[in-house]
Amino acid sequence: MAKSATGKLPQPIEEGIGRRFWIKSRKAGTQALYTPFMVCLASGNLELDTFRHYIAQDVHFLRAFAKAYEMAEECTDDDDAKVGITELRKSVLEELKMHDSFVQEWGIDVAKESTPNAATVKYTDFLLATASGKVEGVKAPGKLATPFEKTKLAAYTLGAMTPCMRLYAFLGEELQALLDPSENPHSYQKWIDNYSSGAFQAAALQTEDLLDKLSVSLTGEELDIIEKLYHQAMKLEIEFFLAQPLAQKTVVPLLTEHNPAEHHLILFSDFDLTCTVVDSSAILAEIAIITAPKSDQNRPENQIARMSSADLRSTWGELSKQYTEEYEHCVEGILLSDKAEQFNYEGLRKALEQLSEFEKRANLRVIDSGVLKGLNFEDIKRAGERLLFQDGCTSFFQSITRNEKLNTNIHVLSYCWCGDLIRSAFSSGGLDIMNIHANEFIYEESSSTGEIVKRVESPIDKVQEFTNILQNCDKDKKNLTVYIGDSVGDLLCLLEADVGILIGSSSSLRRVGSHFGVSFIPLFPGVVEKQKHVKNGSPGWKGLSGVIYTVSSWAEIHAFILGIHTYKLGGVFVSHSQLCSSLDFTSGSSVRNVNAILLADVPYVLRVLLQL
C-alpha cells in the first residue's frame, strides 16, 4: 500500500471481500484519521496522560483480540487457516509486549488505568460475542454441529477483526509519511513505526486473505452478515479513538473554534464539479437537445422559435470545442509571464482578469447562438432534482443546515447559467435555505428566452460576490470563512477565505496557482502542522496566506470541519472526545452511562434524469 498522508485510501491490487469492504469504508478511514486523538498523536504533541490512558485501554482490547483469534482457531478445521490464525495471534501477543515497553518507558500505572472505559467495553464485548457465536442469524455456540458451521463462525470472527488490522495499517502508513528525518525524533515514533512496519502491513493483509479463504463457500446472505460485522467493528474502532480523553486544544474539528455567540461561520462553495458529478452547462445543453423539435416538426404559434435537435447538437459541439481551445490558450497566455518567487495575489488577480474577459465572451457566444432558447422550467427543475452530487456533499451540508444553533451561512457561488437548476438540485436534498449566487434564465410563459441575467460569469465576479457577502455580515461577530472549489475560477476565493479547500485534481488551477506562488498542501498534513504549533491560542486560520488545502473527498471535508459527534456544552460546540475529557474516567459506570447516551445520537443519464 502506497504512502500518501492525504487521507486517500490506497487501492488494493486484488479485490477479495476484505479489500472490498475496506474500500467501502473509505469514509470511516478518513474519520479515524481526523479524530482529535489521531491528529494530536500525528503532530507529536499528544499529551502523555492521554497516550497513557490510550495504551491502558488498548491493552484490554488486545487481550480480547488475542482471545478472539484463539476462538476462531478452534472453529476452523482447515490446517492452513489454523496456522495463519495462530501466527496472527502471536503477532497480537508481540503487540502486547510493545505496550509493556510503553508502560515501562512512560511510567503508565496499569493498576490505576485498569478499568476499561465505555467505548472499550462496547468494542471488546462485541468482538467476544461475535467469536462466541452471538451473531444475528447464527446458531448458539453449543449447536454448531458441522465443520461448515464452525468455519462460518470463524469467518464471522475474522470479519469483526479485519477492519481493525486494516485501519491501523492505514493510519500507521499515513502518519509515517508525515515524519521528517531532519526534525527531532517524534514523541510517538515507536508507535508509528510499529503500525507502518512491513510486518504489521503483512499481518493486515494476512487477516484479509484468511477472511477471503474462510468465506469462499458462504452464501450471499452470510456474506452480508460479515459485511455488517465489518462496518460495526469499524464504527466501534472510531468511537474508541473518540473516547480517549483530551484536555489539550486541538485544531479538529474546525467547528470547535466556532462559538455561535461570538463567531459567524460562513461556508462558500462552487457548484459545478465541486458539488456535482456533471457540469451544469452540459446538463442544460442536453435538456435543450432532448426537448427540441425534430427538423420536420412544425412549431406551435405560441412557442418560442427553436433550432432542431440536430442543429442544436451540432452548434453545441462547436461551442464546446471553441471554449476548450480558447480556455487552454488563455491559461497558456497567463503562464507566459515571469513566475513569481513568492505568493503574489495582486499579480494573480490581474492575470485572471484576462480569463474573466474570455468567460464573458464565451457566454455571449452561447446566448447569441440560441442554444438556450425554449427550455421549459419544469424540465430544468426535474433535471435538477435528479442531478448527481459528489459522494458526501449533500450529507455535509445537511449536517450543518439541520443545526440552526450553529449560526452558519452557506453560499454557493457558481458560473451556472441557471440558478433554478441549482436551487432544485439542493431542494431535493432538503437544502432550501442555501444562498445561491449564479446567473439566471429569463422566461416567457415558463420557457427560456435564451437570454440570461448575468451575475457571476468570471473569477473576478466570484471574488467580488465573496467580498460583498462578507461586507454585509454582522460586524459584531468575527467571521470564519471556508471556501470549497475545484477550478481556476475559484482561485481568488480559495485564497481570500480563511480556509481554502480544493477538491479534485484540476491541473490548470495548480499550474496557474503555482505560477503565482500559491502552495498546495494536502489537508491532513496541513492540519497536523497546525496542531504542532497550537498551545493556548488560535491555530491561525487566515486568508491570503498563499496556501490552499487539497482533499480527495467530501468525507475529508466533513471530518475536518464537523468531526463525527458534536455536542453543545455551555454554548460552545465540542467534539465527543473533548466532552469526555471533562468527565471522571476513573468512575467507569458513570462514564459508561454518559457515553452510551452520546453514542446513540447520531447523456443517457440526462434522459433518466428528465424521464423523457
Side-chain angles (χ1 to χ4, degrees), residues 242 246 248 250 252-253 256 573-582:
L242 287 170
L246 280 172
Q248 67 192 96
T250 64
V252 289
T256 58
F573 290 87
V574 296
S575 68
H576 176 275
S577 59
Q578 290 171 314
L579 184 55
C580 287
S581 70
S582 66

Side-chain angles (χ1 to χ4, degrees), residues 73 76-88 206 209-210 213-214:
E73 183 184 348
T76 182
D77 63 348
D78 183 283
D79 291 339
D80 290 339
K82 277 185 178 289
V83 170
I85 294 172
T86 299
E87 290 174 352
L88 289 170
Q206 186 179 12
D209 289 342
L210 276 170
K213 183 179 181 67
L214 293 170

Side-chain angles (χ1 to χ4, degrees), residues 52 119 192 259 286 482:
R52 285 170 175 158
I192 296 172
N259 181 346
E286 195 68 18
V482 178

Side-chain angles (χ1 to χ4, degrees), residues 149 437 439 471:
E149 288 174 330
H437 309 262
N439 305 299
Q471 287 176 345

Side-chain angles (χ1 to χ4, degrees), residues 36-46 175 178 183 186-188 192 248 524 527-533:
F37 171 80
M38 197 55 60
V39 168
C40 289
L41 193 153
S43 73
N45 70 4
L46 179 69
L175 269 58
L178 298 179
E183 295 182 352
H186 194 284
S187 302
Y188 301 106
I192 296 172
Q248 67 192 96
F524 182 68
V527 164
V528 171
E529 190 62 29
K530 288 280 187 184
Q531 184 64 42
K532 289 179 181 179
H533 303 291

Side-chain angles (χ1 to χ4, degrees), residues 180-454:
D180 186 346
S182 66
E183 295 182 352
N184 294 328
H186 194 284
S187 302
Y188 301 106
Q189 179 85 48
K190 186 183 292 186
W191 188 95
I192 296 172
D193 286 346
N194 177 70
Y195 293 112
S196 63
S197 67
F200 192 86
Q201 299 294 319
L205 184 59
Q206 186 179 12
T207 309
E208 291 171 332
D209 289 342
L210 276 170
L211 177 59
D212 293 343
K213 183 179 181 67
L214 293 170
S215 306
V216 69
S217 59
L218 299 188
T219 65
E221 184 177 349
E222 290 161 345
L223 291 175
D224 287 343
I225 291 174
I226 293 179
E227 184 169 5
K228 289 177 183 177
L229 292 168
Y230 189 103
H231 293 305
Q232 176 66 6
M234 185 70 78
K235 176 176 176 287
L236 292 172
E237 183 64 60
I238 294 172
E239 290 178 358
F240 178 76
F241 289 141
L242 287 170
Q244 305 312 311
L246 280 172
Q248 67 192 96
K249 188 176 183 63
T250 64
V251 299
V252 289
L254 183 67
L255 195 60
T256 58
E257 289 292 311
H258 174 59
N259 181 346
E262 301 175 3
H263 304 145
H264 191 197
L265 178 62
I266 310 177
L267 296 177
F268 297 87
S269 178
D270 174 48
F271 183 68
D272 290 322
L273 304 181
T274 294
C275 294
T276 66
V277 174
V278 183
D279 188 273
S280 66
S281 60
I283 296 279
L284 293 167
E286 195 68 18
I287 294 172
I289 293 166
I290 292 171
T291 61
K294 306 299 181 184
S295 58
D296 57 349
Q297 286 181 320
N298 293 322
R299 174 178 61 86
E301 291 183 7
N302 62 343
Q303 191 177 82
I304 293 174
R306 301 181 66 185
M307 285 187 280
S308 68
S309 57
D311 288 342
L312 271 171
R313 191 172 294 281
S314 174
T315 301
W316 176 249
E318 291 173 3
L319 287 169
S320 297
K321 180 181 178 182
Q322 186 176 3
Y323 178 89
T324 301
E325 290 175 351
E326 291 188 11
Y327 175 85
E328 292 174 354
H329 180 74
C330 188
V331 169
E332 293 302 324
I334 289 172
L335 297 175
L336 290 175
S337 62
D338 293 337
K339 186 172 183 179
E341 295 182 2
Q342 58 186 7
F343 176 50
N344 182 358
Y345 178 82
E346 291 305 322
L348 173 62
R349 181 165 181 147
K350 185 174 180 60
L352 289 180
E353 289 176 1
Q354 303 173 40
L355 187 62
S356 295
E357 291 303 315
F358 154 73
E359 294 284 5
K360 291 178 180 181
R361 290 196 303 272
N363 278 347
L364 280 175
R365 279 200 299 268
V366 171
I367 293 168
D368 292 344
S369 72
V371 296
L372 299 180
K373 281 185 179 180
L375 277 71
N376 183 272
F377 176 79
E378 290 302 321
D379 288 341
I380 293 169
K381 182 179 177 182
R382 192 157 59 248
E385 290 170 349
R386 293 164 175 78
L387 194 60
L388 295 177
F389 279 87
Q390 299 281 357
D391 187 31
C393 174
T394 52
S395 62
F396 168 72
F397 287 124
Q398 286 166 352
S399 296
I400 295 172
T401 57
R402 288 173 182 172
N403 193 332
E404 296 177 358
K405 297 177 182 178
L406 284 179
N407 188 27
T408 301
N409 282 351
I410 303 173
H411 297 268
V412 177
L413 277 57
S414 174
Y415 288 176
C416 178
W417 296 320
C418 182
D420 292 314
L421 181 74
I422 302 176
R423 280 184 282 275
S424 62
F426 281 117
S427 180
S428 66
L431 295 167
D432 298 287
I433 65 171
M434 307 277 276
N435 299 288
I436 308 302
H437 309 262
N439 305 299
E440 302 288 349
F441 273 2
I442 297 174
Y443 298 95
E444 285 184 6
E445 298 182 355
S446 299
S447 291
S448 62
T449 65
E451 297 289 331
I452 63 173
V453 178
K454 302 168 187 174

Side-chain angles (χ1 to χ4, degrees), residues 12-23 208-209 211-213 215:
I13 297 173
E14 298 177 1
E15 196 173 284
I17 65 168
R19 269 76 119 206
R20 194 163 68 245
F21 294 164
W22 170 239
I23 295 302
E208 291 171 332
D209 289 342
L211 177 59
D212 293 343
K213 183 179 181 67
S215 306

Side-chain angles (χ1 to χ4, degrees), residues 530-560:
K530 288 280 187 184
Q531 184 64 42
K532 289 179 181 179
H533 303 291
V534 166
K535 297 295 181 184
N536 296 320
S538 169
W541 303 106
K542 190 176 180 181
L544 296 179
S545 65
V547 173
I548 293 175
Y549 296 98
T550 63
V551 298
S552 59
S553 67
W554 277 92
E556 198 171 350
I557 295 170
H558 193 136
F560 165 60

